[in-house]
Amino acid sequence: MKAKLSVNIGKLKLKNPVIVASGTFGYGEEFADFIDLKKLGAIVSKTITLRPRQGNPPPRTCETPAGMLNSIGLENPGLDAFTECKLPGLAKIGVPVIVSIASESGVSEFVELARCLDKLREVAAIEINISCPNIRAASVPASQRPSLVAQDPKATYEVVKAIRKVTTKTLITKLSPNVTDITEIAIAAERAGSDAVSLINTLTGMSIDIATRKPRIACVTAGLSGPAIRPIAVRMVWEVYRKVKIPVIGMGGIMDTASALEFFLAGATAISIGTANFINPRAAAEIIYGLEKFLVKNKVNNIRQLIGSVKIEN
Ligand SMILES: Cc1cc2nc3c(=O)[nH]c(=O)nc-3n(C[C@H](O)[C@H](O)[C@H](O)COP(=O)(O)O)c2cc1C
């Protein structure tokens, strides 16, 4: 018996549901010595902005119990250098390339990025990273504006709706866990025309060096990722799955096949591997192999049968 691993995300057909997460896989080439990149379901590139960004001052990362903090600050070469220097190499791998975008200057930058990427056949889909600061809804009074688009359903709707108007590419909206109710944001993204939601981005955290009494990260607070956030991510995938009809891409602390499976049972159609890539660059390949093995062993002939199949009494 051979198990079917293929899934659809909007118009995107993935041969398997294992994606590598934005910001944790470089532009692919860094991992070519470790894994056969062609085996991946899809690659999400590091978030780009219209103009190049240097990112935040160091130190920008530190280890924490069962995870890491990062405050890279969206360092990226900008749209033009990305499409000229990075995209051709990514496209050559032969797996769908999902380009992650963010804006430093409101809705219009998101729209410009999406309009440019829409013309490129190397771009399989666009992931809208609304978990970055300085992007706010114009219609919300300044005093009431939350710091992230992804913390406000109205702002989320406005951004996704504006992008939807300028592209027919598959749109994935990446949600932040730093909210009271993530389902409100997922519903807003779906209503605005997003083809899928991906979650979770990092959780805001802080770590202090007791010897120096200084924060371990120059920008003081930073994003927590890795196994420490997995139970929160699984819970949020489960909550969102029950409220939207579009596919959910789950991530947050997936390290191996067992942790990947939790996400499918909670409702994910596909999963993304992030921090695990730094610890084990072969993690994604091992999980693809492990999923197939699990399905065969348990006589499940299609991974889709697992999606949302967690057993909850009453
Ligand atoms: C060093 C680092 C850089 C990241 N950069 C981005 C980024 O540019 N865009 C983005 O949407 N998410 C970024 N993320 C978040 C990951 O894509 C992922 O959502 C998060 O880390 C949770 O998954 P994980 O626990 O498997 O890492 C980054 C994470 C890390 C650790």
Side-chain angles (χ1 to χ4, degrees):
M1 175 191 151
K2 223 175 148 23
K4 238 183 126 184
L5 284 178
S6 62
V7 294
N8 297 338
I9 305 287
K11 286 186 283 188
L12 207 57
K13 292 186 190 327
L14 306 186
K15 63 178 177 293
N16 69 64
V18 180
I19 302 171
V20 282
S22 181
T24 65
F25 208 70
Y27 296 99
E29 68 236 340
E30 298 87 339
F31 286 78
D33 288 343
F34 299 100
I35 66 169
D36 182 359
L37 297 170
K38 285 196 293 297
K39 293 243 162 83
L40 295 170
I43 295 176
V44 186
S45 54
K46 170 80 189 161
T47 300
I48 55 162
T49 44
L50 201 53
R51 275 166 285 279
R53 275 178 65 90
Q54 279 200 323
N56 293 332
R60 312 198 285 189
T61 60
C62 79
E63 271 193 56
T64 60
M68 67 179 278
L69 284 170
N70 94 82
S71 169
I72 307 296
L74 295 189
E75 177 181 341
N76 79 93
L79 175 69
D80 291 346
F82 170 76
T83 54
E84 277 161 37
C85 310
K86 303 292 183 190
L87 190 56
L90 275 167
K92 231 187 256 165
I93 295 167
V95 306
V97 177
I98 302 170
V99 178
S100 169
I101 59 169
S103 163
E104 299 174 288
S105 54
V107 179
S108 61
E109 183 178 337
F110 267 125
V111 168
E112 195 171 344
L113 283 159
R115 194 179 276 133
C116 294
L117 293 172
D118 184 65
K119 298 191 188 99
L120 305 176
R121 71 185 155 70
E122 297 92 333
V123 178
I126 298 172
E127 183 169 82
I128 312 168
N129 178 2
I130 51 170
S131 329
C132 57
N134 309 318
I135 306 141
R136 283 142 197 197
S139 56
V140 180
S143 58
Q144 294 165 24
R145 283 177 196 164
S147 55
L148 299 180
V149 171
Q151 288 172 331
D152 178 14
K154 199 158 182 256
T156 300
Y157 182 87
E158 282 179 18
V159 166
V160 177
K161 187 85 186 167
I163 295 174
R164 183 72 287 171
K165 284 190 185 140
V166 298
T167 181
T168 55
K169 302 262 189 210
T170 293
L171 284 182
I172 302 162
T173 306
K174 184 157 180 185
L175 309 181
S176 168
N178 300 307
V179 290
T180 308
D181 180 1
I182 197 165
T183 68
E184 282 183 1
I185 316 294
I187 291 166
E190 179 179 48
R191 284 204 185 122
S194 194
D195 298 295
V197 284
S198 56
L199 57 136
I200 57 176
N201 210 318
T202 54
L203 270 155
T204 307
M206 182 172 171
S207 177
I208 300 169
D209 181 334
I210 56 164
T212 61
R213 298 194 184 189
K214 287 183 179 165
R216 287 204 166 87
I217 299 282
C219 288
V220 183
T221 61
L224 181 65
S225 63
I229 69 170
R230 189 191 308 145
I232 299 166
V234 171
R235 185 260 294 178
M236 288 186 163
V237 165
W238 177 70
E239 287 176 340
V240 169
Y241 170 72
R242 296 187 310 157
K243 290 281 175 71
V244 299
K245 293 196 174 66
I246 52 177
V248 176
I249 301 172
M251 77 195 89
I254 298 176
M255 303 305 282
D256 49 25
T257 304
S259 46
L261 282 162
E262 278 195 63
F263 282 79
F264 290 104
L265 298 178
T269 294
I271 49 141
S272 282
I273 316 297
T275 302
N277 294 313
F278 298 121
I279 298 158
N280 171 15
R282 290 188 42 77
E286 287 171 7
I287 291 169
I288 296 166
Y289 175 76
L291 287 177
E292 171 142 37
K293 222 170 120 191
F294 176 89
L295 295 182
V296 171
K297 191 171 164 212
N298 290 278
K299 299 190 171 48
V300 179
N301 53 30
N302 193 323
I303 187 104
R304 297 178 205 195
Q305 288 166 243
L306 289 188
I307 300 170
S309 67
V310 59
K311 290 182 185 167
I312 295 172
E313 317 263 288
N314 71 51

